[in-house]
Amino acid sequence: MDVVKVLQTQFGMMHQTMMGTAEGLDAETAHFQPGGRAGSAASNLVHAVLIEDIFLNSFVTGGTPLAYGEWADRTGASELPDMQGGDNTGWDQRVTLDLEQGQQYAEAVFNQSDAYLASISAEDLDRTCDLSAFGMSDAEPVSTALSIILANSNWHTGEVSTIKGIQGLQGYPF
């Protein structure tokens, strides 16, 4: 089995499902506050794409995340959460998203992920990266960081689907 091909397929499916789930959102439905501790569909989408960007472009490759580099101030998000361990209380209730700009940012992040996965071998998945900022080891395998991206994106896509559903819209695109 080619584990990199499996990851490429999983990332492709995750990206397709996330964007398909986001399809049909307008500003009102994207920013609907479902109540309780849940954030809006917009905040869930921003979070999922931003985590993919940060984990891949910072922790895995040691580079600069797009949101803090060439896409700074172009993610579509009104504000980014404090990724340095600051207080993000209420961020998911405050943040707004320009849906068109957010989609362009997401596509740029997804393209970077696809390019990275096309450039690695199975051995690269054993290389270590520092995830201690997230309560993990400073020597986690790259495969763990990629698994976190997949899981996080799928969790938040599920939240977007649910938030659309309680507004009477179709959530997942299937």
Side-chain angles (χ1 to χ4, degrees), residues 97-133:
L97 177 64
D98 175 307
L99 295 168
E100 183 178 329
Q101 200 170 29
Q103 181 176 0
Q104 292 170 3
Y105 165 63
E107 288 172 4
V109 171
F110 298 166
N111 287 338
Q112 282 224 323
S113 295
D114 293 344
Y116 171 76
L117 291 170
S119 74
I120 65 170
S121 67
E123 291 76 31
D124 293 318
L125 298 173
D126 292 327
R127 189 178 53 77
T128 61
C129 58
D130 183 355
L131 298 180
S132 60

Side-chain angles (χ1 to χ4, degrees), residues 28-68:
E28 182 180 349
T29 58
H31 297 100
F32 169 79
Q33 295 293 332
R37 296 183 64 188
S40 66
S43 70
N44 277 281
L45 290 167
V46 170
H47 173 85
V49 176
L50 185 62
I51 291 298
E52 181 171 346
D53 183 10
I54 290 170
F55 267 66
L56 180 72
N57 291 311
S58 183
F59 303 120
V60 172
T61 68
T64 301
L66 294 175
Y68 300 104

Side-chain angles (χ1 to χ4, degrees), residues 61-84:
T61 68
T64 301
L66 294 175
Y68 300 104
E70 68 179 270
W71 280 82
D73 300 320
R74 296 189 308 137
T75 64
S78 59
E79 64 179 292
L80 298 178
D82 181 353
M83 300 307 288
Q84 302 303 314

Side-chain angles (χ1 to χ4, degrees), residues 17 20 35 49 63 68 76 80 93 95 103 110 118 134 155 164 170-171:
T17 302
V49 176
Y68 300 104
L80 298 178
Q93 305 291 317
V95 69
Q103 181 176 0
F110 298 166
F134 294 90
W155 296 328
K164 285 180 71 179
Q170 178 167 339

